[in-house]
Amino acid sequence: MPDLSFIEPFGYSHGWRDIVNDVSFDVDERRPDDTYSAVWASDDTIALTLGQSIQVQAKASDPFREALDPVPGTDIIFTGAGTVTAMISRRSGQSTTISVTAIGGPVTITHLQVRALPVPTARTVKVSASDPVSIQRHGQRSNPNDAPWANAHDAQAIAQLLLAHYAHRRPTVQLRLVSSDTAHLIQILTRQISDLITIRHGELGLDADFHIESIDHTIARMPSESEADTGCEKRVHYATLGCERTGMIVPTDPFTFDVAGLGFDDGVFDPTAADDPASVFIFDDPSQGRFDVGRFGT
C-alpha cells in the first residue's frame, strides 16, 4: 500500500491476551464396521392415511456409510389395511431424511429404523504440543478450541501452526481509511483479507508489517462545510481494517527449481503462508509454470 493517511479512532492492542503456548486436542480415531446394524431407530407412532407421505429426520450418534432404504416388516413395523414404501435422502454421513408413503390403505407405524455400516470411535488419543520458551516468559496459555474431524496427524499440524503463530504476542490494530481522494478509494475497494500492509504510527513508535484480518465498509452521511446552512448532507465511504502484526521472517534464498544457488543444497523452504502469488509455481502457467521462474510453494 502506498503512503496513505488514516484517521481516528486508531485502536492498538499489545496482543498479550492472544498468546497460545500450550495446545492439546482429544482426537477420536474411528474404525468402520463391516456389519450392518441399526444406526438410528424410533418407536414413535405415526398414522398415515391412504396416499399420505411423511418425512422423518434421522440423526445417528456416529457417522455411517452405505445406508439401506428401510424395508417394510424389518425396518418399518406397522399395522393397518395398507402397506408402506420408504426411501432415504442420503446413504453416508451422520443424518438422513426418510420419506415414507402409505399405499393401498391407511397404516400405523410403530417402529422405524435405518440400517447402515457405522463408523464408531475406536479410541481417543490426546495430541499435544507446547513452547517452553513462551511458557517460561508468559506463563502457560492454553488453546480453548477443539479440532473437530481432524485425525491425529492433522491435529499435530494444527497445534504446530498455532504455536508458530501465537506462542509470542502479535499486536493488533484497527484503523480507518476514508475515501478522501482517488488513491484512498482504490485502497478501500481493493484491499482483501490476508493482504500485507505496512502501518506507521509516530506517537506509538509503530513501523511494522501487518496482515489484514477483517474489513468493515461503512457509508455514512455527514454535512459538508458549503452545505451546512442548507441542511444537505454528503455520503462518505470509509473502511475499518482489523490487522495483526506478522511475525513471519521470509528468507532471502527461497528454494527455486533450476536456479543455481537456490537448489536443494542452498535454497530453503519459505515459512507457511509466505508464498508470493506473483512467483509461486503454477502448473501450466506460461511464466510461473517454468522451473527457473516459479518458486516452490508451501
Side-chain angles (χ1 to χ4, degrees):
M1 178 184 293
D3 289 338
L4 300 173
S5 300
F6 51 83
I7 68 172
E8 298 294 337
F10 181 88
Y12 178 83
S13 173
H14 291 285
W16 296 113
R17 66 178 182 179
D18 298 322
I19 292 175
V20 174
N21 51 32
D22 181 73
V23 183
S24 63
F25 299 118
D26 291 329
V27 180
D28 293 335
E29 291 190 345
R30 298 182 179 273
R31 297 288 185 271
D33 287 350
D34 57 3
T35 302
Y36 279 92
S37 61
V39 297
W40 177 87
S42 173
D43 292 323
D44 293 341
T45 300
I46 303 174
L48 299 177
T49 59
L50 172 63
Q52 183 181 359
S53 296
I54 190 173
Q55 291 187 331
V56 179
Q57 302 295 324
K59 184 176 182 180
S61 57
D62 287 312
F64 56 82
R65 58 192 180 94
E66 300 182 29
L68 304 174
D69 288 326
V71 177
T74 300
D75 302 307
I76 309 177
I77 306 301
F78 62 94
T79 58
T83 185
V84 295
T85 61
M87 294 179 60
I88 57 176
S89 62
R90 60 186 301 184
R91 304 195 180 277
S92 297
Q94 195 168 351
S95 64
T96 187
T97 301
I98 310 170
S99 298
V100 185
T101 303
I103 57 176
V107 297
T108 300
I109 300 173
T110 56
H111 179 78
L112 180 63
Q113 69 179 24
V114 175
R115 285 180 297 143
L117 299 176
V119 187
T121 299
R123 64 172 184 167
T124 300
V125 298
K126 182 175 287 294
V127 175
S128 59
S130 62
D131 187 319
V133 175
S134 177
I135 292 176
Q136 183 179 9
R137 180 177 300 173
H138 306 297
Q140 186 172 359
R141 305 283 190 89
S142 299
N143 174 54
N145 300 316
D146 296 324
W149 305 110
N151 60 35
H153 300 293
D154 291 338
Q156 186 67 42
I158 294 171
Q160 294 297 334
L161 286 173
L162 285 171
L163 293 178
H165 197 79
Y166 292 111
H168 303 281
R169 68 182 184 90
R170 295 285 186 91
T172 59
V173 302
Q174 280 196 327
L175 59 87
R176 266 202 316 183
L177 284 176
V178 179
S179 56
S180 55
D181 52 38
T182 302
H184 284 78
L185 179 61
I186 291 175
Q187 290 300 321
I188 287 176
L189 298 178
T190 58
R191 288 306 99 210
Q192 298 181 4
I193 301 297
S194 80
D195 279 358
L196 184 66
I197 62 175
T198 300
I199 300 176
R200 301 183 180 91
H201 194 291
E203 294 182 7
L204 293 175
L206 180 64
D207 186 352
D209 292 334
F210 285 76
H211 279 113
I212 298 176
E213 291 198 325
S214 66
I215 303 175
D216 183 19
H217 292 275
T218 303
I219 298 178
R221 292 178 177 269
M222 59 179 60
S224 63
E225 294 180 0
S226 61
E227 298 171 341
D229 297 333
T230 63
C232 296
E233 297 177 329
K234 66 177 182 179
R235 294 183 178 88
V236 175
H237 181 195
Y238 64 87
T240 302
L241 307 182
C243 308
E244 183 181 72
R245 183 169 179 173
T246 177
M248 197 165 45
I249 300 175
V250 180
T252 57
D253 57 343
F255 181 88
T256 306
F257 287 106
D258 209 18
V259 173
L262 297 178
F264 284 111
D265 295 329
D266 305 290
V268 298
F269 291 118
D270 279 344
T272 301
D275 304 323
D276 181 358
S279 62
V280 71
F281 184 88
I282 302 175
F283 286 103
D284 263 352
D285 187 275
S287 177
Q288 293 172 237
R290 292 182 292 161
F291 282 130
D292 56 348
V293 175
R295 294 179 175 177
F296 190 89
T298 58

